[in-house]
Amino acid sequence: MEIAGEDSFRIRSYRNGATAVEGYPERVEEILRDAEKKVTDIPGIGKGLAAVLAEIVDHGSCERRDHLLEKYPPTALEFLKIQGLGPKGIALIFEHYRISTMDELERLAREQKLRVLPRMGAKLEEKVLKSIAQYRQRAGRFMLNYAESAARELIEYLSAEGGIEKITPAGSLRRGRETVGDLDLLVTGPGAGMALERFIKYPKVEQVLGHGENKASATVGREAFQVDVRALPRESYGAALQYFTGSKDHNVALRTRAVRMGFKLSEYGLFRMEDDARVAGETEEGVYETLGLRWIPPELRENIGEIEWAAEGRLPELVELRQIRGDLHMHTTETDGRASLEEMAEAARGRGYQYIAITDHSKALAMANGLDEKRVVAFARQVREINRRGLGIHIFSGLECDILRDGAMDLAHDALAELDLVIGSVHSHMNLEAAEMTDRLLRALECPHLRVLGHPTGRLLLHRDPFPFDFERIVHEAVKRGVWLEINASPERLDLSANLIRSAKARGARFTISTDAHHPKHLESMHYGVITARRGSLSPADIQNTLPLEQFTGALRRKAAG
Ligand code: DGT
Ligand code: CA
Ligand code: CA
Ligand code: ZN
């Protein structure tokens, strides 16, 4: 509809409608079947959208969509992921050239056929080519939460039949990588062979890619997520788990060590070179131990020095989910969250937390109904009152304050001073040059009330690259000023990344891990943040919200004092 230049109000109503349906606990199909219920009971769904939903339930599409698909190729939506074009540019391209694939778009840019169109130029062609390259890199990768729930569902399905002793996701999912290419699932037990048969009959399988005695591969779901299932004998399960967990670079380094010690390491086991005798393989611990190593947590298996650490007994003590005492970034219905403060607090209490910070948006995010100074002051007072009454969990009054284009804070300092915890975040003008962005962040860090730098690089996994800035310099300044770096645990962000976490830790940075929840169920994303922190070699002592309430309050006050 955007490409077709349709009315922006109508576009917005469709978009809001989609969000409403997605967040509604019941399926539209069931509502339609139930004479007692109406689709218009879903908040945000009027008569018009209800009719469209009925059409979709009826025959899988609707008239408006069918019309658009006559005019534009189905790949048109993919073009929207290419930076620099936008719906208007794409419409223009369709008007002049009959293209439908990314390859064709690339050829147009390469042959300098875009610059002849109005408002396009050589610079844009360059940008489009770069963005297509990035698009190709992302294509075929999935976010960690997608891979995790796909794995969980499949394991549940396969485990329903007996005869399975162990079933484990290996590969990048086990290492907790922020995106996953394919799922490598390992199975052992007398029923492992049958599990392969059962796998290719999995209702969500779209296409079987291969099916042998020990391995079956298929794509699962509409998104064609590839899954490789391997059936293994018990005596080599540990070796296979080690091998298929990877990473490839970790395996190469480990194999080199094995050879130096007179062993041969493969997915079948660890064997003595001289007589081919198996010396380990049933468990992963056994493999590492025989190679003179402590067991290495999968999150560290990226050939970052972990084999040396394990040999010398100095693997970092990695943070664990159960050590997190609170969540310091979340939104409520005051701005763009979907639950009240009380509901968020209740869910956090259910997770066993001692404290949370409520950090709604500031006024620059007008679309989200961000808080102005007056509302902030009232909110701080309200939170003091709530804590006096007691909710069974301590609430810190917070704010996710926009860092404006010039690095100023969105709200006046005396309002910020009323709050317990101010996060500063960039939500706009993310396309600045690195130098300007660095200056912007440096200025933001000067604000004495700033406690946390929120989602520091602004990346959206598979959608938006980190904005460029001088990371070392910002970390240096943040350390100097006692500003903590957020590890945003939302699976769409995972910002900071493991590599930046490691680099920041080496410079003395301190961190928070927070979910940026907009709904009570988002609080569950904490474990993605913890995995990312572990990949960044962080210990509980590096992370502020592992502190018990009293110490954490003390840490908050220290900045306020000095
Ligand atoms: P992905 O699927 O792209 O997110 O990443 P991985 O790490 O899951 O990679 P994948 O599925 O190609 O292979 C799973 C593991 O199998 C990988 O982490 C290490 C192991 N592996 C695969 N190919 C090789 C190889 O050529 N050499 C060695 N040493 N290991 C390999
Ligand atoms: Ca994989
Ligand atoms: Ca694989
Ligand atoms: Zn934010």
Side-chain angles (χ1 to χ4, degrees), residues 329 331 336 359 361 365 400-402 423-427 454-455 486 488 493 516 518:
H329 185 163
H331 300 268
D336 60 352
T359 56
H361 289 292
L365 280 191
E400 185 183 18
C401 186
D402 261 56
I423 301 173
S425 295
V426 168
H427 290 126
H455 44 74
E486 178 179 85
N488 190 295
R493 293 188 183 270
D516 200 350
H518 285 67

Side-chain angles (χ1 to χ4, degrees), residues 266-279:
S266 72
E267 70 239 65
Y268 305 108
L270 184 63
F271 303 90
R272 210 154 48 203
M273 210 98 83
E274 52 196 48
D275 56 0
D276 256 357
R278 170 195 296 274
V279 289

